[in-house]
Amino acid sequence: MQRYFIEQSKIDSRLVLPTEIYHHAVIVMRMKPGDCFEVVAADKKVAVMELEEIAEHSATARVCKKIEHTVELPLQVTIVCGLSKKDKADWIVQKATELGAQHFIFFSGDYSIVKWDKKKQEKKLVRLRKIIRGASEQSHRVMVPTVSYIENIKTLQLEKYSEKMVAYEEAAKEGETASLAKIVSKVKKQQGSIKDLHLVAVFGPEGGISPAEIQYLKSNDFSLTGLGPRIMRAETAPLYLLSALSYALELN
Amino acid sequence: MQRYFIEQSKIDSRLVLPTEIYHHAVIVMRMKPGDCFEVVAADKKVAVMELEEIAEHSATARVCKKIEHTVELPLQVTIVCGLSKKDKADWIVQKATELGAQHFIFFSGDYSIVKWDKKKQEKKLVRLRKIIRGASEQSHRVMVPTVSYIENIKTLQLEKYSEKMVAYEEAAKEGETASLAKIVSKVKKQQGSIKDLHLVAVFGPEGGISPAEIQYLKSNDFSLTGLGPRIMRAETAPLYLLSALSYALELN
């Protein structure tokens, strides 16, 4: 069923469709009175709505059913990625949104070939937010992940994260296989109070993460984490992490 | 380090570079005598080779060091995907090769919008093999996964698979969370003799898998497997599975 995010704080029994949703539901999807869709309000509550009346430029819908079961990962995950070439950022946010990430931060790494100047940043972030919104609707998330840009990994604000890791190829090569499992085990132990857990995971750009960046992260208590014995492209590693977390925490 | 696959059955102490590798190493990468690269022979053994002599259209290299540690998943995985639109097959094979799949089979599903006729099949398979080879080299695999095409899921040969699953959104919606963990637990129990384990995992096309297809798979002992509570696109689900298997079997 089509899902839309609305900005209002909670779902009332009736909804006047915001312009953008009106356009998508009535004009693009050609919904008729009686057709159903889902809405998610800012409080992350979900309801099935039925389209009631369609006027020339507006439409109303009413709540049929509230939906209770959760689809969010049981811990917050912020994915921090070095900038890579081409449209890689586009699909990192699309896929990682499907896989449950809550925040994205892109940074210009020491080995990044591309940089985003002020103008490009704005354009790119608008584009990424659109992709993230679409992926959130499609994957039936109850929140739309955020995305931002920082000039340098050193400007990443660290206070809010309870768990910190950096995916490190050299660690993987040396057979590091315990770090991610340790994070998972800590999360599992805290079940019930896991809302306070927030993992930040840093991934280098295509060229990798520089020794200076690794040194900085290490001195700020990031664990150097191996993600298995195969070498993954920069854009594949975040998907591995999120899938592994889902498997470990949501399946059993 | 650049990695190349060679067709010969095992690595001799000296290698005359096959034309394609000569071209890539000497012309594209501009390697000079003394530069090193890795080769993998058909026996899946890996060696670091040093370039010795470069002539006008040929070059020779000698073995410096044999590499022993394994990077292959501890069970064989065949990924079977319904055909989706655009270049989705391209990147399923690229990413899933990085994540350790050994075989790919594409099929025209009941809900597939595209089909591959005889001519398109040949063209597509050549292209996919090239992408798979590149991804195998890049991710330092010791084998190049295979890829083929079948008209219909019913023509899939089932005898060789010890474990059979189909990723099923409806199962996930109904809270199915145990099936994948059961497969993992069986694999873990058989460690030592896991070469005989071969998992086949079926994924529907964008439009999903049809009731008739599910019925057929169910009657052939495929387990209907949920991959977490979020709805993933057709091309994301195989990556989730492979990442989860790697986490469960290779990290701890």
Side-chain angles (χ1 to χ4, degrees):
Chain A
M1 197 180 298
Q2 181 66 43
R3 170 167 291 197
Y4 298 113
F5 288 88
I6 58 175
E7 278 169 26
Q8 61 192 59
S9 59
K10 61 188 203 59
I11 297 166
D12 298 323
S13 60
R14 280 199 158 58
L15 173 75
V16 178
L17 272 55
T19 313
E20 214 177 301
I21 297 175
Y22 166 83
H23 184 264
H24 190 268
V26 177
I27 311 295
V28 179
M29 301 290 285
R30 295 164 192 261
M31 286 186 198
K32 302 271 169 272
D35 286 348
C36 289
F37 56 91
E38 293 172 0
V39 295
V40 190
D43 64 358
K44 299 182 187 172
K45 294 284 195 299
V46 187
V48 177
M49 312 279 298
E50 182 187 322
L51 206 55
E52 280 190 322
E53 284 183 33
I54 300 179
E56 203 172 337
H57 295 293
S58 69
T60 56
R62 67 170 191 89
V63 170
C64 301
K65 188 171 78 172
K66 302 226 171 179
I67 294 176
E68 297 296 341
H69 79 131
T70 179
V71 299
E72 295 295 327
L73 269 180
L75 84 163
Q76 281 200 71
V77 183
T78 293
I79 298 287
V80 181
C81 287
L83 284 188
S84 289
K85 282 183 296 182
K86 294 189 197 159
D87 56 358
K88 293 203 168 154
D90 289 12
W91 86 252
I92 288 172
V93 300
Q94 185 188 65
K95 299 300 163 219
T97 295
E98 290 173 51
L99 293 168
Q102 280 96 339
H103 309 279
F104 298 99
I105 300 170
F106 288 91
F107 71 99
S108 178
D110 291 346
Y111 293 164
S112 284
I113 294 165
V114 285
K115 288 198 188 300
W116 290 352
D117 58 28
K118 203 77 199 160
K119 203 173 149 194
K120 191 157 187 181
Q121 273 173 49
E122 280 166 28
K123 221 176 124 184
K124 277 281 185 183
L125 290 175
V126 167
R127 181 180 163 80
L128 293 176
R129 284 192 188 108
K130 204 174 159 185
I131 293 170
I132 290 170
R133 195 177 186 92
S136 302
E137 289 171 355
Q138 190 268 341
S139 58
H140 285 212
R141 297 284 303 270
V142 299
M143 62 166 290
V144 182
T146 63
V147 59
S148 59
Y149 177 78
I150 54 176
E151 284 289 339
N152 189 299
I153 193 67
K154 292 187 182 171
T155 58
L156 184 66
Q157 291 183 347
L158 300 174
E159 313 78 51
K160 56 181 153 188
Y161 306 116
S162 62
E163 315 302 317
K164 293 175 277 191
M165 61 160 273
V166 48
Y168 192 42
E169 207 171 84
E170 296 304 318
K173 272 189 198 159
E174 285 162 18
E176 195 300 298
T177 60
S179 168
L180 182 55
K182 269 185 209 154
I183 294 170
V184 164
S185 139
K186 189 168 166 192
V187 174
K188 278 187 167 171
K189 274 192 197 126
Q190 301 218 6
Q191 261 172 12
S193 61
I194 47 183
K195 281 196 178 150
D196 299 333
L197 287 180
H198 191 158
L199 168 67
V200 61
V202 175
F203 299 87
E206 283 168 331
I209 197 139
S210 77
E213 287 167 333
I214 281 291
Q215 201 44 54
Y216 172 78
L217 294 169
K218 216 170 153 181
S219 67
N220 280 283
D221 301 323
F222 278 70
S223 53
L224 310 188
T225 302
L227 298 176
R230 288 164 299 284
I231 294 168
M232 287 178 276
R233 279 169 213 257
E235 71 272 23
T236 313
L239 313 190
Y240 179 109
L241 173 71
L242 291 160
S243 305
L245 288 173
S246 167
Y247 172 77
L249 300 169
E250 298 180 318
L251 304 187
N252 59 72
Chain B
M1 198 180 298
Q2 180 67 44
R3 169 168 292 197
Y4 298 113
F5 288 89
I6 58 176
E7 279 170 25
Q8 60 192 59
S9 59
K10 63 187 201 57
I11 296 167
D12 297 322
S13 60
R14 279 195 159 61
L15 173 74
V16 176
L17 271 58
T19 314
E20 214 176 301
I21 297 176
Y22 166 83
H23 184 265
H24 191 268
V26 177
I27 312 295
V28 179
M29 301 290 285
R30 295 166 194 259
M31 285 187 199
K32 301 273 169 271
D35 286 349
C36 289
F37 56 89
E38 292 173 0
V39 296
V40 189
D43 64 358
K44 299 183 187 171
K45 293 284 194 300
V46 187
V48 177
M49 311 280 298
E50 183 187 322
L51 206 56
E52 280 189 319
E53 283 183 33
I54 302 178
E56 204 173 337
H57 295 294
S58 70
T60 56
R62 67 172 190 88
V63 170
C64 301
K65 190 171 78 175
K66 302 226 170 178
I67 295 176
E68 297 296 340
H69 79 131
T70 180
V71 299
E72 295 296 327
L73 270 179
L75 85 163
Q76 281 200 72
V77 183
T78 293
I79 299 287
V80 181
C81 287
L83 283 188
S84 288
K85 280 182 298 182
K86 294 191 196 159
D87 56 359
K88 293 205 169 153
D90 289 12
W91 86 251
I92 289 172
V93 301
Q94 185 189 65
K95 300 300 164 219
T97 296
E98 290 174 49
L99 293 168
Q102 281 95 341
H103 309 280
F104 299 99
I105 300 170
F106 288 91
F107 71 99
S108 178
D110 290 346
Y111 293 163
S112 284
I113 295 166
V114 286
K115 288 201 190 295
W116 290 352
D117 59 26
K118 203 80 196 157
K119 204 174 149 194
K120 190 156 188 181
Q121 272 172 51
E122 280 166 29
K123 219 176 125 186
K124 277 281 186 183
L125 290 176
V126 167
R127 182 181 163 80
L128 293 176
R129 284 192 188 109
K130 203 174 159 184
I131 293 169
I132 291 169
R133 193 177 188 93
S136 301
E137 290 172 353
Q138 191 268 340
S139 59
H140 285 209
R141 298 283 303 271
V142 300
M143 61 166 291
V144 181
T146 64
V147 58
S148 59
Y149 177 78
I150 55 177
E151 285 290 339
N152 190 298
I153 193 67
K154 292 186 182 171
T155 58
L156 184 66
Q157 292 184 347
L158 300 174
E159 313 79 49
K160 55 180 154 189
Y161 306 117
S162 62
E163 315 302 318
K164 293 176 276 191
M165 61 161 273
V166 49
Y168 191 42
E169 206 170 85
E170 296 305 317
K173 271 188 199 160
E174 285 161 19
E176 194 299 299
T177 60
S179 168
L180 181 55
K182 269 186 209 151
I183 293 170
V184 164
S185 137
K186 189 166 166 195
V187 174
K188 280 186 167 171
K189 275 193 196 125
Q190 299 218 7
Q191 261 173 12
S193 61
I194 47 183
K195 283 196 175 147
D196 299 334
L197 287 180
H198 192 158
L199 168 68
V200 62
V202 174
F203 299 87
E206 283 167 332
I209 197 140
S210 77
E213 287 167 332
I214 281 292
Q215 201 44 54
Y216 172 78
L217 293 169
K218 216 170 151 180
S219 68
N220 280 283
D221 301 323
F222 278 70
S223 53
L224 310 188
T225 302
L227 298 175
R230 288 165 299 282
I231 294 168
M232 287 178 277
R233 278 168 213 258
E235 71 273 22
T236 313
L239 312 191
Y240 180 110
L241 172 70
L242 290 161
S243 304
L245 289 173
S246 167
Y247 173 77
L249 300 170
E250 297 180 318
L251 304 186
N252 59 72

